[in-house]
Amino acid sequence: SVSFIVAASVYSEVSDSVVPAFGPRSGNTMISVLGHNLETVNKDIYCVIGEDFSFVVSQTSSSVQCLTPLSTFSGKVLVRLATFDKEFLSGGLYFEYVDDPLIFDTKPDHGSEYAAVLMSGRGFMRVPMLTCYFGDVPAYRTTVVDDETVMCVTPALDVGMYSVTLNTNGQQYLRSGMTFEYLQQFELASLWPSNGPALKGGTVVTIQGQGFRRNVDVFCRFGFSVVPAVVLSSDTLQCRTVSYRPGIVNVSVVNDGSLIHPPDQFLQY
């Protein structure tokens, strides 16, 4: 009988055969080079990334892992596998070195779940994948608005201070130097009284809830009329009604620019 050994090779026809496919010029990205029949190679192999050699960190029959070296330029480089006596396996893939974006600022610096935090900087569009992190928790959504702006939607967190970072490829993080204060979720529970004189106005309405703060602008909205609110505590605020035509109006609160609706709370004039 005749035995045939299939030569080991690297997938070259699949676009994502190097994972991740990009990383910073500073190096130290752990890449997985996908191949097949690698167990048939009877010699130790290593990665050739551009013109640089990198030792294999781990190896299976279908992949090897290597750390990318420092690069003096940005752009794509060929990734190949070779034995220690410089025999190259068939096939080749590409890895792209990219320049890290610059982060200048993040605003607002406080809020709660689903707050839209805008990160300003430069070079965001040159990175194929970005994810905002608050501490070690990823944002609900990260949107690259343009080359100078990224929008991060805050996830559910415990009350406290969190560093704001940007993950570029699932491994490397860019630190903004900024922090985000996660506040107790602003909620409305009830109001009292639920009725008052229409044309006269002047009824003091007490609204119960949670997350009220004295150091931000808070207003009550009766229908389309907006009046200042007085925050008595973190769970109580008061507003004075304006003159209004007889009828039932919806009551809501504007907290630091965000409109909050209580569950089915109406005021009858």
Side-chain angles (χ1 to χ4, degrees), residues 97-108:
Y97 285 104
V98 296
D99 291 311
D100 283 334
L102 300 176
I103 302 174
F104 300 147
D105 196 12
T106 57
K107 289 183 178 178

Side-chain angles (χ1 to χ4, degrees), residues 202-224:
T203 301
V204 175
V205 176
T206 300
I207 297 178
Q208 302 288 334
Q210 69 174 28
F212 304 153
R213 304 177 70 206
R214 290 190 176 94
N215 59 344
V216 298
D217 293 329
V218 182
F219 301 89
C220 289
R221 195 171 84 164
F222 300 98
F224 295 102

Side-chain angles (χ1 to χ4, degrees), residues 9-110:
S9 64
V10 179
Y11 286 126
S12 58
E13 71 275 14
V14 181
S15 62
D16 60 352
S17 291
V18 173
V19 181
F22 63 94
R25 288 172 47 194
S26 57
N28 287 319
T29 300
M30 182 70 73
I31 61 171
S32 294
V33 184
L34 306 184
H36 59 92
N37 303 315
L38 298 179
E39 76 279 4
T40 65
V41 181
N42 295 321
K43 302 176 183 179
D44 292 332
I45 60 177
Y46 57 88
C47 296
V48 183
I49 303 172
E51 300 299 324
D52 297 304
F53 299 95
S54 177
F55 289 103
V56 170
V57 177
S58 65
Q59 178 181 342
T60 68
S61 62
S62 59
S63 70
V64 297
Q65 287 188 314
C66 305
L67 280 173
T68 60
L70 176 73
S71 177
T72 58
F73 63 92
S74 59
K76 292 185 177 182
V77 295
L78 184 63
V79 178
R80 295 172 292 173
L81 298 180
T83 63
F84 273 90
D85 52 7
K86 297 184 179 179
E87 293 180 358
F88 286 96
L89 280 64
S90 63
L93 309 161
Y94 284 94
F95 176 82
E96 184 176 7
Y97 285 104
V98 296
D99 291 311
D100 283 334
L102 300 176
I103 302 174
F104 300 147
D105 196 12
T106 57
K107 289 183 178 178
D109 60 2
H110 64 273

Side-chain angles (χ1 to χ4, degrees), residues 83-172:
T83 63
F84 273 90
D85 52 7
K86 297 184 179 179
E87 293 180 358
F88 286 96
L89 280 64
S90 63
L93 309 161
Y94 284 94
F95 176 82
E96 184 176 7
Y97 285 104
V98 296
D99 291 311
D100 283 334
L102 300 176
I103 302 174
F104 300 147
D105 196 12
T106 57
K107 289 183 178 178
D109 60 2
H110 64 273
S112 54
E113 190 178 10
Y114 294 107
V117 177
L118 293 180
M119 180 180 293
S120 60
R122 187 171 63 226
F124 294 128
M125 295 191 71
R126 62 179 171 235
V127 180
M129 180 180 70
L130 294 173
T131 304
C132 301
Y133 272 76
F134 296 86
D136 59 357
V137 182
Y140 279 155
R141 185 172 68 254
T142 300
T143 304
V144 179
V145 179
D146 53 42
D147 195 55
E148 298 180 344
T149 310
V150 171
M151 185 181 72
C152 315
V153 178
T154 56
L157 298 166
D158 293 329
V159 173
M161 301 293 293
Y162 294 85
S163 60
V164 182
T165 58
L166 200 59
N167 183 282
T168 58
N169 62 358
Q171 296 183 30
Q172 275 88 6

